[in-house]
Amino acid sequence: MKLPPFCLSLLITAASVLALTAVSQAAATPAGDPAAEDPYLWLEDVTGEKALDWVRKQNAVSTRELESSKNFEPIRKRLLEILDSREKIPYVGKYGKWYYNFWRDQDHVRGLWRRTTLEEYKKPQPAWETVIDLDKLAAGEKENWVWKGVDVLYPTYDRCLVSLSRGGADAVVVREFDLNEKAFKEDGFHLPEAKTDTAWRDRDTLYVGTDFGAGSLTDSGYPRIVKEWKRGTLLTAAKIVFEGKKEDVSVSAAVVHDHGHKYEFINRGVTFFTSEQFIRRGDDWVKFDKPDDASVGTYDDQIIIRLRSDWTTGGQTFQAGSLLAGDFEGYLKGERKLLPLFVPTERKSLAGTAETKNFIVLNELDNVRNKLYILKRVNGGWIRTPMAAPAFGTVGVGAIDPHESDDYFMTVADFLSPSSLYWGTVGKENREKLKSLPAFFKTDGLEITQHEAVSKDGTRVPYFQVGAKKLKLNGRNPTLLYGYGGFEVSMLPSYSAGVGASWLEKGGVYVLANIRGGGEFGPRWHEAARKENRQRAYDDFIAVAEDLVKRKVTSPKHLGIQGGSNGGLLMGVMLTQRPDLFKAVVCQVPLLDMRRFNRLLAGASWMAEYGNPDIPDQWEYIRSYSPYQKVSKGVKYPRTLFTTSTRDDRVHPGHARKMVARMKEQGHDILYYENIEGGHGGAANNQQSAFMSALAYTFLLKELK
């Protein structure tokens, strides 16, 4: 299904408010806000000298301790070798005859955007043509550029919009690039630094959502206005085509080319999970009649609707999590002849779809294991057949060029099997293995098992365990438990060389929890832990931890936990709710001050997930778990390493800063490290990634062995 690429995820956002300046959000605290009494509000001043001096002092303490460990340098060096390895799989995207790849290694720290042909790509060592050398560009322009992707013009594929970030922030500079001349167009489209959303309407016209000045952004910091910008004119002269409301999350445009059809969409993101969608007809925008939380896409002349809640229409009731299809033009005229392409069950959900020229491939999750099916339109209906795929591991399928063929790429991996890339054609059994990662760590004697814990309310919560086949169930195994539990994001098995080389090889056990709030069992699994039901996600994680102890895999003094972003909030809650259950916590780019999260950077966009702390009734349930408000002087907490990035313009670094300051004031023994670059991922290049990961694994080995 071709969905307009509206990026509203906490993990993948694309438009916003601040290019991290020294402007303090603390100064904008409304009168009467209880947070105004926060003694550490000054740490929200992202690049203020006082705040950065504090950061540097904390960094010095943490690096002095962890870098002095005998484990640190060997781990850092090995992780960097893995990240810089030339044996990584060069994943590609096809534009015209070329297959493009973005690549980093030790000689290209910032990276190369390069291309090759399919014939070359199938070779063990393809010949690549460099299109953009980001290291040379950054050096020549004296800018700290980090690659943020491209938008290539269809159908000529000779121009693209390149997004570049300073230091890894979500805010980007957008510049037009000529793919034939391999040069930026001096007189081309150019947008200054902001969290910007663009789409090609045609060769000489863009849809643009960006910071147009006062009043042009939503409360979440994303574009509120979409304009149509003609080549050769000033951006200030661009015509407004759509305006959302200030309290919306964002407004964005997308242009979809699908089987000869051209669809122009506007998405008004009312909340994180609800939207209004519009289709352009002449100079008008026609609103789709759909449930607020459903999404609309296309396949050829079909409308494709994905549901997040039950929907009764046209005399039928469709379940939440279903995927529906019908005639696009007929739907706009009021017809409701919809056919279900996928219907969920209690333990089955839709992981995704891939659309080729003649088929739709459904990727289903059955008890957190992938299964593939092929759909083909025949005589007004759809025929469904199984598609051969590995029985174990995580399987992903993507169409190579749906305008031209039924060819696809398939990726296969699990915790112990290096990722492999296959090339195949839908409808043909044979597929060709093109690339595979080397074995970056030893897997002899290790196994993957799947278990279930029973949560507080009786819900069965699955989790994966990776460890020795002959694991001694004596409660003394160092165990790392990872979780997320939010925004309908599924946690699936994957090959992590970092986990393998830094943890499993050293005798540790790794566990991945599939707690509520995620998407492992579809929208209902997510809805079960949203807003006032948030505690269920935390109860699930606790249940998994307690099950590990009950099974004698480990014990509290050997159990560590790790999570980032929304998972960082999870870590903060575990720290404050069950300090007795864990020995060490790694809390990365976290939300922690849930009283002010909606006032910081993109935080307002997540109120649909957590609630609005400015509404007293909602603050009552949020305050019951908000870590910054719950941490106490009189409690013995597990040792914790907090990490974040100054350049994270999605989750404000003030969350981690203030939590650490408060805990240190209370006398707790904790560590803190803030990368001055890196964005929401925490690191802007391989060297920084290796360094920060080495800090985390060194800390865990030190605390849990």
Side-chain angles (χ1 to χ4, degrees):
M1 169 179 57
K2 290 194 181 225
L3 285 173
F6 306 122
C7 298
L8 297 178
S9 168
L10 178 64
L11 299 178
I12 313 173
T13 52
S16 168
V17 32
L18 296 175
L20 295 174
T21 63
V23 177
S24 171
Q25 286 188 267
T29 303
D33 183 352
E37 299 179 5
D38 184 347
Y40 298 111
L41 217 60
W42 57 275
L43 286 169
E44 293 179 8
D45 188 355
V46 177
T47 55
E49 274 308 306
K50 181 181 178 183
L52 286 178
D53 284 346
W54 179 91
V55 166
R56 295 184 186 102
K57 290 177 183 177
Q58 306 307 317
N59 284 357
V61 171
S62 300
T63 54
R64 184 165 55 245
E65 174 183 329
L66 296 176
E67 286 187 77
S68 67
S69 167
K70 65 179 182 180
N71 289 314
F72 178 82
E73 187 55 25
I75 291 176
R76 187 203 66 81
K77 184 177 179 181
R78 188 170 178 194
L79 290 177
L80 184 57
E81 288 173 352
I82 290 170
L83 290 169
D84 281 344
S85 171
R86 297 182 186 274
E87 297 183 74
K88 299 191 301 287
I89 297 174
Y91 294 103
V92 292
K94 181 177 183 291
Y95 301 107
K97 68 177 183 178
W98 295 105
Y99 290 73
Y100 288 82
N101 162 259
F102 185 73
W103 180 263
R104 287 191 183 116
D105 60 30
Q106 62 183 357
D107 298 323
H108 307 96
V109 176
R110 298 181 189 276
L112 294 174
W113 193 43
R114 56 190 190 169
R115 64 190 179 191
T116 191
T117 62
L118 180 59
E119 181 182 5
E120 279 293 323
Y121 186 67
K122 288 186 174 183
K123 296 178 181 179
Q125 299 297 328
W128 294 95
E129 176 188 352
T130 298
V131 180
I132 297 177
D133 185 327
L134 202 58
D135 294 87
K136 287 184 179 179
L137 181 69
E141 297 183 348
K142 295 182 172 55
E143 290 280 7
N144 184 19
W145 290 134
V146 174
W147 187 256
K148 286 291 184 176
V150 296
D151 182 4
V152 181
L153 175 65
Y154 174 88
T156 56
Y157 303 114
D158 62 334
R159 297 285 179 90
C160 66
L161 300 173
V162 177
S163 295
L164 300 172
S165 160
R166 290 184 173 93
D170 283 351
V172 294
V173 171
V174 178
R175 295 156 65 176
E176 186 176 0
F177 188 85
D178 189 310
L179 289 168
N180 292 331
E181 298 177 2
K182 295 191 292 187
F184 286 102
K185 300 296 292 182
E186 293 300 322
D187 59 347
F189 291 114
H190 183 283
L191 287 156
E193 186 176 33
K195 286 189 174 179
T196 295
D197 183 85
T198 60
W200 291 98
R201 187 175 189 217
D202 56 43
R203 186 177 191 82
D204 296 315
T205 315
L206 296 182
Y207 287 120
V208 177
T210 190
D211 186 348
F212 293 111
S216 67
L217 300 175
T218 67
D219 290 338
S220 299
Y222 299 130
R224 185 184 66 80
I225 297 169
V226 171
K227 294 187 179 184
E228 187 176 322
W229 185 21
K230 296 288 186 179
R231 184 182 299 280
T233 66
L234 295 175
L235 181 60
T236 52
K239 181 179 73 172
I240 294 176
V241 295
F242 195 93
E243 291 190 64
K245 296 182 179 180
K246 184 174 180 289
E247 58 269 26
D248 290 343
V249 171
S250 69
V251 175
S252 57
V255 179
V256 174
H257 298 275
D258 188 350
H259 291 76
H261 305 277
K262 180 181 178 182
Y263 299 100
E264 299 179 59
F265 293 100
I266 287 283
N267 184 79
R268 178 189 166 217
V270 180
T271 72
F272 201 93
F273 304 108
T274 63
S275 67
E276 293 179 350
Q277 284 179 251
F278 302 81
I279 181 80
R280 186 162 189 165
R281 287 291 187 264
D283 290 331
D284 297 325
W285 293 94
V286 179
K287 182 180 175 182
F288 286 99
D289 175 25
K290 69 174 186 66
D292 290 343
D293 58 358
S295 57
V296 169
T298 65
Y299 178 75
D300 195 357
D301 61 356
Q302 298 282 289
I303 186 170
I304 306 294
I305 301 175
R306 189 164 181 175
L307 301 180
R308 297 194 74 257
S309 58
D310 293 347
W311 185 33
T312 299
T313 186
Q316 299 182 78
T317 297
F318 302 102
Q319 293 183 45
S322 294
L323 189 69
L324 313 176
D327 180 76
F328 192 95
E329 294 300 329
Y331 188 90
L332 286 181
K333 294 174 183 176
E335 294 178 7
R336 293 297 177 264
K337 298 175 182 178
L338 298 171
L339 295 175
L341 303 184
F342 171 81
V343 178
T345 65
E346 182 183 357
R347 308 297 275 185
K348 186 172 72 173
S349 64
L350 185 62
T353 63
E355 302 75 37
T356 68
K357 188 172 183 178
N358 297 295
F359 302 94
I360 295 178
V361 179
L362 297 181
N363 191 342
E364 301 180 3
L365 272 184
D366 191 342
N367 201 29
V368 205
R369 295 177 185 270
N370 293 98
K371 292 185 179 180
L372 304 179
Y373 297 89
I374 300 168
L375 296 178
K376 181 176 176 59
R377 290 179 69 195
V378 177
N379 298 325
W382 296 81
I383 295 177
R384 170 187 167 109
T385 56
M387 180 175 175
F392 299 99
T394 299
V395 180
V397 177
I400 294 176
D401 190 340
H403 301 291
E404 293 186 356
S405 73
D406 293 315
D407 296 343
Y408 64 86
F409 285 130
M410 176 184 287
T411 56
V412 181
D414 62 35
F415 293 111
L416 302 178
S417 302
S419 303
S420 296
L421 178 68
Y422 296 82
W423 176 87
T425 303
V426 179
K428 297 181 180 180
E429 291 188 9
N430 295 331
R431 52 178 164 258
E432 180 182 355
K433 186 175 182 179
L434 297 183
K435 315 283 180 185
S436 182
L437 285 179
F440 281 122
F441 63 94
K442 298 174 184 177
T443 60
D444 297 345
L446 297 178
E447 68 175 354
I448 305 166
T449 55
Q450 189 177 22
H451 307 268
E452 284 188 341
V454 179
S455 194
K456 186 176 181 179
D457 63 0
T459 300
R460 295 179 296 128
V461 181
Y463 65 92
F464 291 98
Q465 176 180 312
V466 189
K469 291 180 181 177
K470 298 180 180 179
L471 188 70
K472 293 182 179 179
L473 299 178
N474 56 13
R476 295 200 294 268
N477 298 293
T479 300
L480 175 58
L481 171 59
Y482 189 93
Y484 186 78
F487 295 90
E488 207 175 326
V489 175
S490 300
M491 295 287 101
L492 304 178
S494 63
Y495 185 77
S496 171
V499 171
S502 307
W503 188 252
L504 293 173
E505 269 194 9
K506 299 181 184 301
V509 176
Y510 181 75
V511 178
L512 182 66
N514 301 118
I515 63 178
R516 282 175 287 183
E520 289 85 349
F521 300 121
R524 288 174 179 166
W525 195 247
H526 169 239
E527 286 294 321
R530 196 160 68 92
K531 289 192 171 182
E532 67 271 17
N533 295 318
R534 193 84 204 149
Q535 184 60 41
R536 290 174 180 167
Y538 308 137
D539 290 342
D540 289 358
F541 196 79
I542 290 168
V544 172
E546 290 180 333
D547 198 58
L548 291 167
V549 173
K550 180 181 177 181
R551 292 174 48 231
K552 296 187 178 179
V553 172
T554 191
S555 59
K557 65 181 180 180
H558 296 290
L559 179 55
I561 55 176
Q562 181 181 21
S565 191
N566 172 73
L569 171 59
L570 171 66
M571 296 302 102
V573 175
M574 293 302 100
L575 175 73
T576 51
Q577 288 192 2
R578 289 301 305 272
D580 60 307
L581 192 51
F582 311 105
K583 180 65 162 50
V585 180
V586 176
C587 183
Q588 300 164 306
V589 289
L591 287 87
L592 293 167
D593 180 2
M594 299 304 288
R595 181 62 186 90
R596 281 182 56 76
F597 84 90
N598 60 323
R599 301 175 186 269
L600 300 175
L601 296 176
S605 66
W606 310 323
M607 290 191 291
E609 179 79 4
Y610 304 117
N612 184 348
D614 294 331
I615 298 174
D617 288 349
Q618 295 185 29
W619 171 237
E620 280 305 307
Y621 62 73
I622 296 171
R623 74 186 302 172
S624 69
Y625 65 79
S626 181
Y628 186 57
Q629 282 72 33
K630 300 298 286 187
V631 68
S632 173
K633 181 177 181 179
V635 178
K636 180 174 175 56
Y637 293 109
R639 200 148 192 245
T640 302
L641 170 64
F642 294 89
T643 65
T644 189
S645 165
T646 310
R647 293 293 294 172
D648 188 348
D649 53 354
R650 197 178 312 175
V651 175
H652 199 292
H655 284 278
R657 291 177 179 180
K658 296 195 301 178
M659 184 76 166
V660 169
R662 175 163 286 179
M663 291 189 74
K664 288 208 166 188
E665 176 202 351
Q666 294 173 350
H668 302 298
D669 181 17
I670 55 175
L671 295 175
Y672 180 82
Y673 183 80
E674 180 175 320
N675 191 21
I676 304 301
E677 300 178 0
H680 190 50
N685 56 48
N686 290 348
Q687 293 176 350
Q688 293 174 14
S689 294
F691 182 85
M692 295 189 73
S693 292
L695 289 177
Y697 288 118
T698 299
F699 171 77
L700 289 165
L701 289 168
K702 181 176 184 291
E703 298 298 324
L704 300 179
K705 284 288 189 178

